[in-house]
């Protein structure tokens, strides 16, 4: 099934950009003012980080919906199509709704300065569309997944009530900063005096120190570092697969484990396996902090368990069946992600027949290959993604040439790894259900 077309306005200026052109946060801020959403009037929970932001945003949204909130969620990019960038209570807006939002953005943009001030980026325009839609539907809360950065991203135009920070590492070095600590400063710089809570996954010492200093300088609430709920926090959780190094300590070294559940009636297995688990835990903890800031009660235990148990994460260690094959799809971009995906494959399979890998040159290709040693691997190129370079030539195929039949011909058990733009295409090939991420 082909994803519905998206109004061209979201990509119009971006498609006309020239060498060296940059997005204009100033014009985006002016457009937010023209739309009347410069001050959303609705509590905002923003997720920043290098990886796992979509998972954290999904679980934060599910937690808030379980508590009775109407929630608009903005993520980037979409899974199978751009309508999925804006969701209400976990469900993607319709093509007609997004088209209407695009027309309103276009009309408002006519009052802006000329484009030589910089272009309006697609991710920024979807963020504004989400905030506009939140006002239309009377949302109680907005969950924003920042794009690449923090203060360098349009999400930074809207000071969050709660800021959630996934692991920060050397992704986008030379773009957001020359070190992981500099990248962390950009991402944590979204915090403001109106930010009541900053919740972070454990970070390296340099990154943790930078986040703490940046948040303190902004006058926001202190940084709370969380680990996955332990036995004492989550009834029946003994043996949970907690990543090594999770100590539940804040950047100053003070222990501060966070329990993710309230009522003892909740089942233990509410969070996904593998590397998705800490990001899901982060989203849940951030949603709890937002409910506290809003003065709203925690969700009923049975209601919370039902909603969290229904969460689906297509493209994030997700399983799919096509005629002749079962496909495991994961948006892994480095060695740790590839290792986790291989472990998950072996939880169900006695062997992996083939691996498709789509990673541009700047990703950790040697690390991924080290985890796939001994397995048959085919590299996939995406030549239509002009911002990504794919120079590897051995055993390659273009993404546009993949079909369900060609997938199945690789064997009965296929592992798919790579950039979200690629995994989104494979989700489309296997006709994955992506319209709704959880049951409200």
């Amino acid at each position: 099934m082909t994803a519905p077309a998206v109004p061209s306005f979201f990509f119009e200026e971006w498609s006309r950009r020239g060498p060296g052109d940059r997005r204009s946060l100033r014009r985006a801020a002016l457009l937010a003012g023209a739309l009347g959403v410069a001050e959303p009037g609705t509590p905002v929970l923003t997720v920043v980080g290098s990886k796992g932001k979509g998972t954290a945003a999904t679980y934060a949204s599910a937690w808030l919906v379980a508590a009775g909130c109407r929630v608009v969620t903005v993520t980037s990019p979409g899974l199978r199509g751009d309508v999925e960038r804006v969701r209400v209570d976990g469900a993607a807006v319709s093509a007609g709704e997004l088209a209407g939002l695009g027309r309103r953005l276009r009309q408002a943009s006519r009052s802006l300065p000329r484009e030589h001030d910089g272009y309006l980026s697609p991710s920024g325009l979807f963020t504004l569309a989400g905030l506009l839609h939140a006002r239309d539907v009377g949302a109680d809360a907005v969950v924003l997944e920042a794009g690449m950065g923090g203060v360098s991203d349009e999400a930074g135009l809207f000071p969050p009530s709660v800021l959630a920070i996934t692991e920060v590492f050397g992704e986008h070095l030379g773009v957001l900063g020359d070190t992981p600590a500099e990248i962390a400063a950009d991402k944590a710089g979204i915090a403001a005096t109106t930010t009541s809570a900053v919740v972070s996954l454990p970070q390296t010492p340099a990154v943790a120190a930078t986040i703490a200093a940046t948040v303190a300088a902004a006058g926001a609430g202190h940084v709370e570092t969380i680990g996955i709920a332990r036995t004492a926090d989550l009834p029946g959780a003994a043996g949970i697969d907690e990543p090594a190094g999770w100590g539940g300590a804040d950047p100053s070294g003070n222990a501060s484990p966070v329990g993710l559940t309230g009522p003892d009636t909740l089942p233990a297995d509410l969070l996904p396996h593998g590397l998705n688990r800490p990001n899901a835990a982060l989203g849940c903890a951030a949603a709890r902090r937002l409910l506290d800031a809003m003065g709203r009660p925690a969700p009923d235990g049975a209601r919370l368990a039902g909603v969290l148990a229904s969460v689906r994460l297509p493209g994030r260690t997700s399983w799919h069946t096509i005629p002749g094959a079962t496909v495991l799809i994961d948006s892994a971009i480095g060695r740790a992600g590839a290792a986790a995906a291989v472990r998950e494959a072996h939880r169900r399979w006695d062997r992996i027949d083939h691996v498709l890998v789509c990673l541009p040159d700047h990703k950790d290709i040697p690390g991924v290959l080290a985890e796939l040693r001994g397995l048959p691997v085919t590299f996939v190129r995406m030549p239509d993604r002009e911002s990504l370079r794919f120079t590897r030539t051995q055993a390659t195929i273009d993404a546009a040439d993949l079909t369900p039949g060609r997938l199945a011909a690789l064997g009965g058990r296929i592992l798919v790894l790579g950039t979200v733009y690629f995994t989104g295409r494979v989700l489309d090939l296997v006709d994955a259900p992506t319209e709704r991420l959880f049951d409200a």
Side-chain angles (χ1 to χ4, degrees):
M1 182 178 68
T2 302
V6 173
S8 61
F9 175 69
F10 288 97
F11 300 93
E12 203 169 81
E13 293 194 10
W14 175 82
S15 66
R16 294 198 301 260
R17 75 197 188 284
D21 285 354
R22 303 179 68 87
R23 64 172 64 184
S24 174
L25 296 181
R26 186 178 79 89
R27 293 181 70 234
L30 291 173
L31 181 54
L35 293 165
V37 297
E39 296 183 5
T42 302
V44 174
L45 188 163
T46 303
V47 183
V48 300
S50 297
K51 186 68 173 171
K53 298 187 295 294
T55 297
T58 297
Y59 273 84
S61 300
W63 190 289
L64 293 169
V65 168
C69 297
R70 189 167 180 78
V71 180
V72 166
T73 307
V74 181
T75 57
S76 179
L79 298 171
R80 294 179 61 179
D82 286 311
V83 293
E84 297 160 351
R85 293 178 184 239
V86 180
R87 297 177 182 268
V88 180
D89 295 346
V93 297
S94 69
E97 287 173 319
L98 191 60
L101 292 167
R103 286 191 294 269
R104 292 160 69 184
L105 264 65
R106 181 191 295 276
Q107 177 65 33
S109 72
R110 292 172 179 164
S111 65
L112 300 183
R114 297 178 64 84
E115 287 181 44
H116 63 252
D117 289 344
Y119 64 87
L120 293 170
S121 74
S123 63
L125 290 171
F126 283 110
T127 295
L128 295 180
L131 290 166
L132 187 59
H133 197 58
R135 188 183 67 189
D136 290 346
V137 302
D140 299 303
V142 175
V143 176
L144 295 181
E145 176 193 350
M148 183 188 301
V151 293
S152 58
D153 187 270
E154 287 84 357
L157 299 174
F158 308 98
S161 298
V162 172
L163 177 62
I165 307 177
T166 69
E167 184 184 2
V168 177
F169 48 86
E171 184 78 348
H172 305 303
L173 282 172
V175 178
L176 298 178
D178 294 329
T179 66
E182 290 182 4
I183 292 172
D186 183 281
K187 295 178 183 291
I190 287 181
T193 55
T194 54
T195 304
S196 63
V198 179
V199 188
S200 173
L201 292 186
Q203 310 285 352
T204 62
V207 167
T210 296
I211 290 174
T214 303
V215 169
H222 74 282
V223 180
E224 181 180 18
T225 303
I226 73 158
I228 294 176
R230 307 179 197 290
T231 305
D233 304 318
L234 186 60
I240 232 170
D241 54 336
E242 182 173 308
W246 278 59
D250 65 25
S252 64
N254 299 317
S256 57
V258 176
L260 297 180
T261 67
D264 291 341
T265 55
L266 289 175
D269 196 14
L270 294 178
L271 302 179
H273 294 288
L275 296 185
N276 292 321
R277 183 167 289 223
N279 298 307
L282 175 71
C284 293
R288 280 188 56 179
R289 303 306 175 274
L290 187 63
L291 289 175
D292 291 343
M294 297 167 65
R296 298 185 64 138
D300 170 78
R303 165 78 170 148
L304 177 62
V307 174
L308 292 188
S310 74
V311 172
R312 299 173 285 278
L313 298 171
R316 300 178 181 95
T317 325
S318 59
W319 296 87
H320 309 272
T321 301
I322 58 174
T326 302
V327 184
L328 173 58
I329 305 175
D330 191 72
S331 301
I333 58 171
R335 183 166 189 168
V342 170
R343 287 195 300 270
E344 181 63 17
H346 287 305
R347 286 164 64 96
R348 296 196 189 185
W349 296 336
D350 60 355
R351 70 180 189 277
I352 298 172
D353 293 323
H354 210 96
V355 186
L356 287 179
V357 176
C358 181
L359 292 173
D361 295 348
H362 66 277
K363 300 296 185 183
D364 181 21
I365 296 176
V368 170
L369 290 180
E371 295 300 329
L372 301 178
R373 57 188 177 277
L375 295 173
V377 175
T378 296
F379 288 90
V380 182
R381 296 182 299 253
M382 297 183 70
D384 57 320
R385 297 295 307 182
E386 59 186 55
S387 61
L388 304 177
R389 290 180 55 82
F390 300 86
T391 58
R392 190 170 291 271
T393 58
Q394 66 269 36
T396 58
I397 183 175
D398 283 353
D401 295 332
L402 281 175
T403 64
R406 196 158 184 178
L407 274 178
L410 296 173
R413 300 167 179 83
I414 306 164
L415 177 60
V416 173
L417 303 176
T419 172
V420 293
Y421 296 104
F422 169 61
T423 56
R425 293 195 184 188
V426 180
L427 289 171
D428 202 39
L429 285 179
V430 302
D431 198 19
T434 58
E435 186 274 339
R436 179 173 286 280
L437 295 183
F438 54 85
D439 298 331

